[in-house]
Amino acid sequence: MSGTWINLIFDILICFFLLSGTFFIISGSIGILRLPDVYTRLHAATKSSTLGVSGIMIGAFLFLFIEHDIVSGKLLLGILFVLLTAPVSGHVISRAAHRSGVPLWKDSVKDDYDEVLQAEQKDK
C-alpha cells in the first residue's frame, strides 16, 4: 500500500515540474510577443526560459531517478548551466542595448542605469 501512495506522490511531483516548466515557457513566449521594448522582452525571455527549462529538466531528472534508478549527471549539469548563463546573458544583452542607445519604452518611469552611467563618467 505504501508503495502505491509514494509512487502517486512522485508522479504528481514530476507532473508539477513538467507542467510548471511548460507554463513558464509558454508565458515567456507570449511575453516576448506582447511586451513593448527590448528590455522587458529580455526580462520575459530570460526569466521564463530559466524557470521553464529548469522545471522541465528537474522533472526529467526525477522521472529517470525514480522510475529507472538513473542519476543523470548531464541533466544536473544542464540545470546548473541554464541557471547560471541565462540571467547573465540577459543582463549583458540589455546592458549592450542600453549602451548602444536603444530607447526605453515611452511609459517608463525612470532610467536608473543611465544615472549610474552618468555618475561614472563624471568620476572619470
Side-chain angles (χ1 to χ4, degrees):
M1 180 78 176
S2 65
T4 59
W5 284 104
I6 291 174
N7 287 337
L8 179 66
I9 291 171
F10 284 143
D11 288 344
I12 290 171
L13 187 65
I14 291 168
C15 287
F16 169 75
F17 279 113
L18 292 175
L19 290 174
S20 65
T22 304
F23 168 75
F24 282 117
I25 289 175
I26 290 172
S27 64
S29 300
I30 293 169
I32 290 170
L33 295 174
R34 300 278 309 191
L35 291 173
D37 67 343
V38 172
Y39 307 104
T40 54
R41 288 179 184 163
L42 273 171
H43 180 75
T46 56
K47 301 303 178 199
S48 64
S49 69
T50 302
L51 290 173
V53 172
S54 296
I56 290 174
M57 285 184 172
I58 290 170
F61 176 79
L62 289 175
F63 175 76
L64 288 174
F65 181 69
I66 292 167
E67 297 292 328
H68 300 292
D69 294 329
I70 297 173
V71 176
S72 177
K74 290 179 184 178
L75 280 174
L76 290 175
L77 287 174
I79 293 167
L80 182 67
F81 181 76
V82 167
L83 288 174
L84 291 176
T85 58
V88 172
S89 65
H91 175 76
V92 170
I93 292 170
S94 65
R95 184 175 172 151
H98 191 277
R99 285 183 180 246
S100 66
V102 175
L104 287 136
W105 181 39
K106 62 180 167 83
D107 290 340
S108 294
V109 177
K110 186 177 176 184
D111 187 4
D112 292 330
Y113 189 59
D114 191 41
E115 294 171 5
V116 171
L117 285 176
Q118 288 176 0
E120 286 179 2
Q121 289 177 355
K122 287 180 184 177
D123 292 339
K124 290 182 180 181

Coordinates of all heavy atoms in Angstrom, one line a residue, residues 11-106:
D11 N 4.7 10.8 -8.9 CA 4.1 11.1 -10.2 C 3.5 12.5 -10.2 O 3.7 13.3 -11.2 CB 3.1 10.1 -10.6 CG 3.7 8.7 -11.0 OD1 4.9 8.7 -11.2 OD2 2.9 7.8 -11.0
I12 N 2.9 12.9 -9.1 CA 2.3 14.2 -9.0 C 3.4 15.3 -9.0 O 3.3 16.3 -9.7 CB 1.4 14.4 -7.8 CG1 0.1 13.6 -8.0 CG2 1.1 15.8 -7.5 CD1 -0.7 13.4 -6.8
L13 N 4.5 15.0 -8.3 CA 5.7 15.9 -8.3 C 6.3 16.1 -9.6 O 6.6 17.2 -10.1 CB 6.7 15.4 -7.3 CG 7.9 16.3 -6.9 CD1 7.4 17.6 -6.2 CD2 8.9 15.6 -6.0
I14 N 6.5 15.0 -10.4 CA 7.1 15.0 -11.7 C 6.1 15.8 -12.6 O 6.6 16.7 -13.4 CB 7.3 13.6 -12.2 CG1 8.5 12.9 -11.5 CG2 7.6 13.6 -13.7 CD1 8.6 11.5 -11.7
C15 N 4.9 15.6 -12.6 CA 3.9 16.3 -13.4 C 3.9 17.8 -13.1 O 3.8 18.6 -13.9 CB 2.5 15.7 -13.2 SG 2.3 14.1 -14.1
F16 N 4.0 18.1 -11.8 CA 4.1 19.5 -11.4 C 5.3 20.2 -12.0 O 5.1 21.3 -12.5 CB 4.2 19.6 -9.8 CG 4.5 21.0 -9.4 CD1 3.5 22.0 -9.4 CD2 5.7 21.3 -8.9 CE1 3.8 23.3 -9.0 CE2 6.0 22.6 -8.5 CZ 5.1 23.6 -8.5
F17 N 6.5 19.6 -11.9 CA 7.6 20.3 -12.5 C 7.5 20.4 -14.0 O 7.9 21.4 -14.6 CB 8.9 19.5 -12.2 CG 9.4 19.8 -10.8 CD1 9.4 18.9 -9.8 CD2 9.9 21.1 -10.5 CE1 9.9 19.2 -8.5 CE2 10.4 21.4 -9.3 CZ 10.4 20.5 -8.3
L18 N 7.0 19.4 -14.7 CA 6.9 19.4 -16.1 C 5.8 20.5 -16.6 O 6.0 21.2 -17.5 CB 6.5 18.0 -16.7 CG 7.6 17.0 -16.6 CD1 7.0 15.6 -17.1 CD2 8.8 17.4 -17.4
L19 N 4.7 20.5 -15.9 CA 3.6 21.4 -16.2 C 4.0 22.9 -15.9 O 3.7 23.8 -16.6 CB 2.3 21.1 -15.6 CG 1.7 19.8 -16.1 CD1 0.4 19.4 -15.3 CD2 1.3 20.0 -17.6
S20 N 4.7 23.1 -14.7 CA 5.1 24.4 -14.4 C 6.2 24.9 -15.4 O 6.2 26.1 -15.8 CB 5.6 24.5 -13.0 OG 6.8 23.7 -12.8
G21 N 7.1 24.0 -15.8 CA 8.1 24.4 -16.8 C 7.5 24.8 -18.1 O 7.8 25.8 -18.7
T22 N 6.5 24.0 -18.5 CA 5.8 24.3 -19.7 C 5.0 25.6 -19.6 O 5.0 26.4 -20.6 CB 4.8 23.2 -20.1 OG1 5.5 21.9 -20.1 CG2 4.1 23.4 -21.4
F23 N 4.4 25.9 -18.5 CA 3.7 27.2 -18.3 C 4.6 28.3 -18.4 O 4.3 29.3 -19.0 CB 3.0 27.2 -16.9 CG 2.5 28.5 -16.5 CD1 1.4 29.0 -17.1 CD2 3.2 29.3 -15.6 CE1 0.9 30.3 -16.7 CE2 2.8 30.5 -15.2 CZ 1.6 31.0 -15.8
F24 N 5.8 28.2 -17.8 CA 6.7 29.4 -17.8 C 7.3 29.6 -19.3 O 7.4 30.7 -19.7 CB 7.9 29.2 -16.9 CG 7.5 29.5 -15.4 CD1 7.6 28.5 -14.5 CD2 7.2 30.7 -15.1 CE1 7.3 28.7 -13.2 CE2 6.9 31.0 -13.8 CZ 6.9 30.0 -12.8
I25 N 7.5 28.5 -20.0 CA 8.0 28.7 -21.4 C 6.9 29.3 -22.2 O 7.2 30.2 -23.0 CB 8.4 27.4 -21.9 CG1 9.7 27.0 -21.3 CG2 8.6 27.4 -23.5 CD1 10.3 25.6 -21.6
I26 N 5.6 28.9 -22.1 CA 4.5 29.5 -22.9 C 4.3 30.9 -22.5 O 4.1 31.8 -23.4 CB 3.3 28.6 -22.7 CG1 3.4 27.3 -23.4 CG2 2.1 29.4 -23.3 CD1 2.3 26.3 -23.2
S27 N 4.3 31.2 -21.2 CA 4.1 32.6 -20.8 C 5.3 33.5 -21.2 O 5.1 34.7 -21.6 CB 3.9 32.7 -19.3 OG 5.1 32.3 -18.6
G28 N 6.5 33.0 -21.2 CA 7.6 33.8 -21.7 C 7.5 34.0 -23.2 O 7.8 35.1 -23.7
S29 N 7.0 33.1 -24.0 CA 6.8 33.3 -25.4 C 5.7 34.3 -25.7 O 5.9 35.2 -26.6 CB 6.4 31.9 -26.0 OG 7.4 31.0 -25.9
I30 N 4.7 34.3 -24.9 CA 3.7 35.3 -25.0 C 4.2 36.7 -24.6 O 4.0 37.7 -25.3 CB 2.4 35.0 -24.2 CG1 1.8 33.7 -24.8 CG2 1.4 36.1 -24.1 CD1 0.7 33.1 -23.9
G31 N 5.1 36.7 -23.6 CA 5.7 38.0 -23.1 C 6.6 38.6 -24.2 O 6.7 39.8 -24.4
I32 N 7.3 37.7 -24.9 CA 8.2 38.2 -26.0 C 7.4 38.9 -27.1 O 7.8 39.9 -27.6 CB 9.1 37.0 -26.5 CG1 10.1 36.6 -25.5 CG2 9.8 37.5 -27.8 CD1 10.8 35.4 -25.8
L33 N 6.2 38.3 -27.4 CA 5.4 38.9 -28.4 C 4.7 40.1 -28.0 O 4.4 41.0 -28.8 CB 4.4 37.8 -28.9 CG 5.0 36.6 -29.6 CD1 3.9 35.6 -29.8 CD2 5.7 37.0 -30.8
R34 N 4.3 40.2 -26.7 CA 3.4 41.3 -26.3 C 4.1 42.5 -25.6 O 3.5 43.5 -25.6 CB 2.4 40.7 -25.3 CG 1.5 39.6 -25.8 CD 0.3 40.1 -26.5 NE -0.3 41.1 -25.7 CZ -1.5 41.6 -26.0 NH1 -2.1 41.2 -27.0 NH2 -2.0 42.6 -25.3
L35 N 5.2 42.3 -25.0 CA 5.8 43.4 -24.3 C 6.4 44.4 -25.2 O 6.8 44.1 -26.4 CB 6.9 42.8 -23.4 CG 6.3 42.0 -22.2 CD1 7.4 41.4 -21.4 CD2 5.4 42.9 -21.3
P36 N 6.5 45.7 -24.8 CA 6.7 46.8 -25.7 C 8.2 47.1 -26.2 O 8.4 47.5 -27.3 CB 6.2 48.0 -25.0 CG 6.4 47.7 -23.5 CD 6.1 46.2 -23.5
D37 N 9.2 46.8 -25.3 CA 10.5 47.2 -25.7 C 11.5 46.1 -25.5 O 11.2 45.0 -25.0 CB 11.0 48.5 -25.0 CG 11.2 48.3 -23.5 OD1 10.6 47.4 -22.9 OD2 11.8 49.2 -22.9
V38 N 12.7 46.3 -25.9 CA 13.8 45.3 -25.8 C 14.0 44.8 -24.4 O 14.2 43.6 -24.1 CB 15.1 45.9 -26.4 CG1 16.2 44.9 -26.2 CG2 14.9 46.2 -27.9
Y39 N 14.0 45.7 -23.4 CA 14.4 45.4 -22.1 C 13.3 44.5 -21.4 O 13.7 43.6 -20.7 CB 14.6 46.7 -21.3 CG 15.6 47.6 -22.0 CD1 15.2 48.7 -22.6 CD2 16.9 47.3 -22.0 CE1 16.1 49.5 -23.3 CE2 17.9 48.1 -22.6 CZ 17.4 49.2 -23.3 OH 18.3 50.0 -23.9
T40 N 12.1 44.8 -21.6 CA 11.0 44.0 -21.0 C 10.9 42.6 -21.7 O 10.6 41.6 -21.1 CB 9.7 44.7 -21.0 OG1 9.4 45.1 -22.4 CG2 9.7 45.9 -20.1
R41 N 11.2 42.6 -23.0 CA 11.2 41.4 -23.7 C 12.4 40.5 -23.3 O 12.2 39.3 -23.1 CB 11.3 41.6 -25.2 CG 10.1 42.2 -25.8 CD 10.3 42.4 -27.3 NE 9.0 43.0 -27.8 CZ 9.0 43.7 -29.0 NH1 10.1 43.8 -29.7 NH2 7.9 44.2 -29.4
L42 N 13.5 41.1 -23.0 CA 14.7 40.3 -22.5 C 14.3 39.8 -21.1 O 14.7 38.6 -20.8 CB 15.9 41.2 -22.4 CG 16.7 41.3 -23.7 CD1 17.8 42.3 -23.5 CD2 17.4 39.9 -23.9
H43 N 13.6 40.5 -20.3 CA 13.3 40.1 -19.0 C 12.3 38.8 -19.1 O 12.6 37.8 -18.4 CB 12.6 41.2 -18.2 CG 12.1 40.8 -16.9 ND1 13.0 40.7 -15.8 CD2 10.9 40.5 -16.4 CE1 12.3 40.3 -14.7 NE2 11.1 40.2 -15.1
A44 N 11.4 38.9 -20.0 CA 10.5 37.8 -20.2 C 11.2 36.6 -20.7 O 11.0 35.5 -20.3 CB 9.3 38.2 -21.1
A45 N 12.1 36.8 -21.7 CA 12.8 35.7 -22.3 C 13.7 35.0 -21.3 O 13.8 33.8 -21.3 CB 13.6 36.2 -23.5
T46 N 14.5 35.8 -20.5 CA 15.5 35.1 -19.6 C 14.9 34.5 -18.4 O 15.2 33.4 -18.0 CB 16.6 36.1 -19.2 OG1 16.0 37.3 -18.6 CG2 17.4 36.6 -20.5
K47 N 14.0 35.2 -17.8 CA 13.4 34.7 -16.5 C 12.5 33.5 -16.8 O 12.6 32.5 -16.1 CB 12.5 35.7 -15.8 CG 13.3 37.0 -15.4 CD 14.5 36.7 -14.6 CE 15.2 38.0 -14.3 NZ 16.5 37.8 -13.8
S48 N 11.7 33.6 -17.8 CA 10.8 32.4 -18.1 C 11.5 31.2 -18.7 O 11.2 30.1 -18.3 CB 9.7 32.9 -19.0 OG 10.2 33.2 -20.3
S49 N 12.5 31.5 -19.5 CA 13.3 30.4 -20.0 C 14.1 29.7 -18.9 O 14.2 28.4 -18.9 CB 14.2 30.8 -21.2 OG 15.3 31.6 -20.7
T50 N 14.6 30.5 -18.0 CA 15.4 29.8 -16.9 C 14.5 29.0 -16.0 O 14.8 27.8 -15.8 CB 16.0 30.9 -16.0 OG1 16.8 31.8 -16.8 CG2 16.8 30.3 -14.9
L51 N 13.3 29.5 -15.7 CA 12.4 28.7 -14.9 C 11.8 27.5 -15.6 O 11.6 26.4 -15.1 CB 11.3 29.6 -14.3 CG 11.7 30.6 -13.2 CD1 10.5 31.5 -12.9 CD2 12.1 29.9 -12.0
G52 N 11.4 27.8 -16.9 CA 10.8 26.8 -17.7 C 11.7 25.6 -18.0 O 11.4 24.4 -17.8
V53 N 12.9 25.9 -18.5 CA 13.8 24.8 -18.9 C 14.3 24.1 -17.7 O 14.4 22.9 -17.7 CB 15.0 25.4 -19.7 CG1 16.1 24.3 -19.9 CG2 14.5 25.9 -21.1
S54 N 14.5 24.8 -16.6 CA 14.9 24.2 -15.3 C 13.8 23.3 -14.8 O 14.1 22.2 -14.3 CB 15.3 25.2 -14.3 OG 16.4 25.9 -14.7
G55 N 12.6 23.7 -14.9 CA 11.5 22.9 -14.4 C 11.3 21.6 -15.2 O 11.1 20.5 -14.6
I56 N 11.5 21.7 -16.5 CA 11.4 20.5 -17.3 C 12.5 19.6 -17.1 O 12.4 18.4 -17.0 CB 11.3 20.9 -18.8 CG1 9.9 21.6 -19.1 CG2 11.4 19.7 -19.7 CD1 9.7 22.1 -20.4
M57 N 13.7 20.1 -16.9 CA 14.9 19.3 -16.6 C 14.8 18.6 -15.3 O 15.2 17.5 -15.1 CB 16.2 20.1 -16.8 CG 16.6 20.4 -18.2 SD 18.2 21.2 -18.1 CE 18.6 21.2 -19.9
I58 N 14.3 19.3 -14.3 CA 14.1 18.7 -12.9 C 13.1 17.6 -13.0 O 13.3 16.6 -12.4 CB 13.7 19.8 -11.9 CG1 14.9 20.7 -11.6 CG2 13.2 19.2 -10.6 CD1 14.5 22.0 -10.8
G59 N 12.0 17.8 -13.8 CA 11.0 16.8 -13.9 C 11.6 15.6 -14.6 O 11.3 14.4 -14.3
A60 N 12.4 15.8 -15.7 CA 13.0 14.7 -16.4 C 14.0 14.0 -15.5 O 14.1 12.7 -15.5 CB 13.7 15.2 -17.6
F61 N 14.8 14.7 -14.7 CA 15.7 14.1 -13.7 C 15.0 13.2 -12.7 O 15.4 12.1 -12.4 CB 16.6 15.2 -13.0 CG 17.5 14.6 -12.0 CD1 18.7 14.0 -12.4 CD2 17.2 14.6 -10.7 CE1 19.5 13.5 -11.5 CE2 18.0 14.1 -9.7 CZ 19.2 13.5 -10.1
L62 N 13.9 13.8 -12.1 CA 13.2 13.0 -11.2 C 12.5 11.7 -11.8 O 12.5 10.7 -11.1 CB 12.1 13.9 -10.5 CG 12.6 14.9 -9.6 CD1 11.4 15.8 -9.1 CD2 13.3 14.3 -8.4
F63 N 12.0 11.8 -13.0 CA 11.5 10.7 -13.7 C 12.5 9.6 -13.9 O 12.3 8.4 -13.6 CB 10.9 11.1 -15.0 CG 10.4 9.9 -15.8 CD1 9.2 9.3 -15.5 CD2 11.1 9.4 -16.9 CE1 8.7 8.2 -16.2 CE2 10.7 8.3 -17.6 CZ 9.5 7.7 -17.3
L64 N 13.7 10.0 -14.4 CA 14.7 9.0 -14.6 C 15.2 8.4 -13.3 O 15.5 7.2 -13.2 CB 15.9 9.6 -15.3 CG 15.7 9.9 -16.8 CD1 16.9 10.7 -17.4 CD2 15.4 8.7 -17.6
F65 N 15.3 9.2 -12.2 CA 15.8 8.7 -10.9 C 14.8 7.8 -10.3 O 15.1 6.7 -9.8 CB 16.1 9.9 -10.0 CG 16.7 9.5 -8.7 CD1 17.9 8.9 -8.6 CD2 15.9 9.7 -7.6 CE1 18.4 8.5 -7.4 CE2 16.4 9.3 -6.3 CZ 17.6 8.7 -6.2
I66 N 13.5 8.2 -10.3 CA 12.5 7.4 -9.6 C 12.1 6.2 -10.4 O 12.0 5.1 -9.8 CB 11.3 8.3 -9.3 CG1 11.7 9.4 -8.2 CG2 10.1 7.5 -8.8 CD1 10.7 10.5 -8.1
E67 N 11.9 6.3 -11.7 CA 11.3 5.2 -12.5 C 12.4 4.2 -12.9 O 12.2 3.0 -13.0 CB 10.6 5.7 -13.7 CG 9.4 6.6 -13.4 CD 8.3 5.8 -12.7 OE1 8.1 4.6 -13.0 OE2 7.5 6.3 -11.9
H68 N 13.6 4.7 -13.2 CA 14.6 3.9 -13.8 C 15.9 3.8 -13.0 O 16.9 3.1 -13.4 CB 15.0 4.3 -15.2 CG 13.8 4.3 -16.1 ND1 13.2 3.2 -16.6 CD2 13.1 5.4 -16.7 CE1 12.2 3.5 -17.4 NE2 12.1 4.8 -17.5
D69 N 16.0 4.4 -11.8 CA 17.1 4.4 -10.9 C 18.4 4.9 -11.7 O 19.5 4.4 -11.5 CB 17.4 3.1 -10.3 CG 16.3 2.7 -9.4 OD1 15.7 3.6 -8.7 OD2 16.1 1.4 -9.2
I70 N 18.2 6.0 -12.5 CA 19.3 6.6 -13.2 C 19.6 8.0 -12.7 O 18.7 8.8 -12.6 CB 19.0 6.7 -14.7 CG1 18.8 5.3 -15.3 CG2 20.1 7.4 -15.5 CD1 18.3 5.3 -16.8
V71 N 20.8 8.2 -12.3 CA 21.2 9.6 -11.9 C 21.9 10.2 -13.1 O 23.0 9.8 -13.4 CB 22.1 9.6 -10.6 CG1 22.6 11.0 -10.3 CG2 21.4 8.9 -9.5
S72 N 21.2 11.1 -13.7 CA 21.8 11.8 -14.9 C 22.6 13.0 -14.6 O 22.1 14.1 -14.2 CB 20.6 12.1 -15.9 OG 21.1 12.8 -17.0
G73 N 23.9 12.8 -14.7 CA 24.8 14.0 -14.5 C 24.6 15.0 -15.5 O 24.8 16.2 -15.3
K74 N 24.3 14.6 -16.8 CA 24.1 15.6 -17.8 C 22.9 16.5 -17.5 O 23.0 17.7 -17.8 CB 23.9 14.9 -19.2 CG 25.1 14.2 -19.7 CD 24.8 13.5 -21.0 CE 26.1 12.7 -21.4 NZ 25.8 12.0 -22.7
L75 N 21.8 16.0 -17.0 CA 20.7 16.8 -16.6 C 21.0 17.8 -15.5 O 20.7 18.9 -15.5 CB 19.5 16.0 -16.3 CG 18.7 15.4 -17.4 CD1 17.6 14.4 -16.9 CD2 18.1 16.5 -18.2
L76 N 21.8 17.3 -14.5 CA 22.2 18.2 -13.4 C 23.1 19.3 -13.9 O 22.9 20.4 -13.5 CB 22.9 17.3 -12.3 CG 22.0 16.4 -11.5 CD1 22.9 15.6 -10.6 CD2 20.9 17.1 -10.8
L77 N 24.0 18.9 -14.8 CA 24.9 20.0 -15.4 C 24.1 20.9 -16.3 O 24.4 22.1 -16.3 CB 26.0 19.4 -16.2 CG 27.1 18.7 -15.3 CD1 28.1 18.0 -16.2 CD2 27.8 19.7 -14.5
G78 N 23.1 20.4 -17.0 CA 22.3 21.3 -17.8 C 21.5 22.2 -17.0 O 21.3 23.4 -17.3
I79 N 20.9 21.8 -15.9 CA 20.2 22.6 -14.9 C 21.1 23.7 -14.4 O 20.7 24.9 -14.4 CB 19.5 21.8 -13.8 CG1 18.5 20.9 -14.3 CG2 19.0 22.8 -12.7 CD1 18.0 19.8 -13.3
L80 N 22.3 23.4 -14.0 CA 23.2 24.3 -13.4 C 23.6 25.3 -14.5 O 23.7 26.5 -14.2 CB 24.4 23.6 -12.9 CG 25.5 24.4 -12.3 CD1 25.0 25.1 -11.0 CD2 26.7 23.6 -12.0
F81 N 23.9 24.8 -15.7 CA 24.3 25.7 -16.8 C 23.2 26.7 -17.1 O 23.5 27.9 -17.3 CB 24.6 24.9 -18.0 CG 25.1 25.6 -19.2 CD1 26.4 26.2 -19.3 CD2 24.2 25.9 -20.3 CE1 26.8 26.9 -20.4 CE2 24.6 26.6 -21.4 CZ 25.9 27.1 -21.4
V82 N 22.0 26.3 -17.2 CA 20.9 27.2 -17.5 C 20.7 28.2 -16.4 O 20.5 29.4 -16.7 CB 19.6 26.4 -17.8 CG1 18.3 27.3 -17.8 CG2 19.7 25.6 -19.1
L83 N 20.7 27.8 -15.2 CA 20.5 28.7 -14.1 C 21.6 29.7 -14.0 O 21.4 30.8 -13.5 CB 20.5 27.9 -12.7 CG 19.2 27.1 -12.5 CD1 19.3 26.3 -11.2 CD2 18.0 28.0 -12.4
L84 N 22.8 29.4 -14.4 CA 23.9 30.4 -14.4 C 24.0 31.3 -15.6 O 24.4 32.4 -15.5 CB 25.3 29.6 -14.2 CG 25.5 29.0 -12.9 CD1 26.8 28.2 -12.9 CD2 25.5 30.0 -11.7
T85 N 23.8 30.7 -16.8 CA 24.0 31.5 -18.0 C 22.9 32.3 -18.5 O 23.1 33.4 -19.1 CB 24.5 30.6 -19.1 OG1 23.5 29.6 -19.4 CG2 25.8 29.9 -18.8
A86 N 21.7 31.9 -18.4 CA 20.5 32.7 -18.9 C 20.4 34.0 -18.3 O 20.2 35.0 -19.0 CB 19.2 31.8 -18.8
P87 N 20.4 34.2 -17.0 CA 20.2 35.5 -16.4 C 21.4 36.4 -16.7 O 21.3 37.6 -17.0 CB 20.1 35.3 -14.9 CG 19.7 33.9 -14.8 CD 20.3 33.2 -15.9
V88 N 22.6 35.8 -16.8 CA 23.8 36.6 -17.1 C 23.8 37.1 -18.5 O 24.1 38.3 -18.8 CB 25.1 35.8 -16.8 CG1 26.3 36.6 -17.3 CG2 25.2 35.5 -15.3
S89 N 23.4 36.2 -19.4 CA 23.3 36.7 -20.8 C 22.3 37.7 -21.1 O 22.5 38.7 -21.8 CB 23.1 35.5 -21.7 OG 21.8 34.9 -21.5
G90 N 21.1 37.6 -20.4 CA 20.1 38.6 -20.5 C 20.6 40.0 -20.0 O 20.3 41.0 -20.6
H91 N 21.3 40.0 -18.9 CA 21.9 41.2 -18.3 C 22.9 41.8 -19.3 O 22.9 43.0 -19.5 CB 22.5 40.9 -17.0 CG 23.2 42.1 -16.4 ND1 22.6 43.1 -15.8 CD2 24.5 42.4 -16.3 CE1 23.4 44.0 -15.4 NE2 24.6 43.6 -15.7
V92 N 23.8 41.0 -19.9 CA 24.8 41.5 -20.8 C 24.1 42.1 -22.0 O 24.5 43.1 -22.5 CB 25.8 40.4 -21.1 CG1 26.7 40.8 -22.2 CG2 26.6 40.1 -19.8
I93 N 23.2 41.4 -22.6 CA 22.5 41.9 -23.8 C 21.8 43.2 -23.5 O 21.8 44.1 -24.3 CB 21.5 40.8 -24.3 CG1 22.3 39.6 -24.9 CG2 20.7 41.4 -25.4 CD1 21.5 38.4 -25.2
S94 N 21.1 43.3 -22.4 CA 20.4 44.5 -22.1 C 21.3 45.7 -21.8 O 21.1 46.8 -22.2 CB 19.4 44.3 -20.9 OG 20.2 44.1 -19.7
R95 N 22.5 45.4 -21.2 CA 23.5 46.4 -21.0 C 24.0 46.9 -22.3 O 24.2 48.1 -22.5 CB 24.6 45.8 -20.1 CG 25.6 46.8 -19.7 CD 26.6 46.2 -18.8 NE 27.7 47.1 -18.6 CZ 28.4 47.2 -17.5 NH1 28.1 46.4 -16.5 NH2 29.4 48.1 -17.4
A96 N 24.3 46.0 -23.2 CA 24.8 46.4 -24.5 C 23.7 47.2 -25.3 O 24.1 48.2 -26.0 CB 25.2 45.1 -25.3
A97 N 22.5 46.8 -25.2 CA 21.4 47.6 -25.8 C 21.3 49.0 -25.3 O 21.2 49.9 -26.0 CB 20.1 46.8 -25.7
H98 N 21.5 49.1 -24.0 CA 21.4 50.4 -23.3 C 22.5 51.3 -23.7 O 22.4 52.5 -24.0 CB 21.3 50.3 -21.8 CG 21.0 51.5 -21.1 ND1 21.9 52.5 -20.8 CD2 19.8 52.0 -20.7 CE1 21.3 53.5 -20.2 NE2 20.0 53.2 -20.1
R99 N 23.7 50.7 -23.7 CA 24.9 51.5 -24.1 C 24.9 51.9 -25.6 O 25.5 52.9 -26.0 CB 26.2 50.7 -23.8 CG 26.5 50.7 -22.3 CD 27.8 50.0 -22.0 NE 28.0 50.0 -20.6 CZ 29.0 50.7 -20.0 NH1 29.9 51.3 -20.8 NH2 29.2 50.6 -18.7
S100 N 24.3 51.1 -26.4 CA 24.2 51.5 -27.9 C 23.1 52.4 -28.2 O 22.9 52.8 -29.3 CB 24.1 50.2 -28.7 OG 22.9 49.6 -28.5
G101 N 22.3 52.8 -27.2 CA 21.2 53.8 -27.3 C 19.9 53.3 -27.7 O 19.1 54.1 -28.2
V102 N 19.5 52.1 -27.4 CA 18.2 51.6 -27.7 C 17.3 52.2 -26.7 O 17.5 52.2 -25.5 CB 18.1 50.0 -27.6 CG1 16.7 49.5 -27.7 CG2 19.0 49.4 -28.6
P103 N 16.2 52.9 -27.1 CA 15.4 53.7 -26.2 C 14.5 52.8 -25.3 O 14.1 51.7 -25.7 CB 14.5 54.5 -27.1 CG 14.5 53.8 -28.4 CD 15.8 53.1 -28.5
L104 N 14.2 53.3 -24.2 CA 13.3 52.6 -23.3 C 11.8 52.8 -23.8 O 11.6 53.7 -24.6 CB 13.4 53.2 -21.8 CG 14.6 52.7 -21.1 CD1 15.2 53.9 -20.4 CD2 14.3 51.6 -20.1
W105 N 10.9 52.1 -23.2 CA 9.5 52.2 -23.5 C 9.1 53.6 -23.1 O 9.5 54.2 -22.1 CB 8.7 51.2 -22.8 CG 7.3 51.1 -23.0 CD1 6.6 51.4 -24.2 CD2 6.3 50.8 -22.1 NE1 5.3 51.3 -24.0 CE2 5.0 50.9 -22.7 CE3 6.3 50.5 -20.7 CZ2 3.8 50.7 -22.0 CZ3 5.1 50.3 -20.1 CH2 3.9 50.4 -20.7
K106 N 8.2 54.3 -23.9 CA 7.8 55.7 -23.6 C 7.2 55.9 -22.3 O 7.2 57.0 -21.7 CB 6.9 56.2 -24.7 CG 5.6 55.4 -24.8 CD 4.8 56.0 -26.0 CE 3.6 55.1 -26.3 NZ 2.5 55.1 -25.6

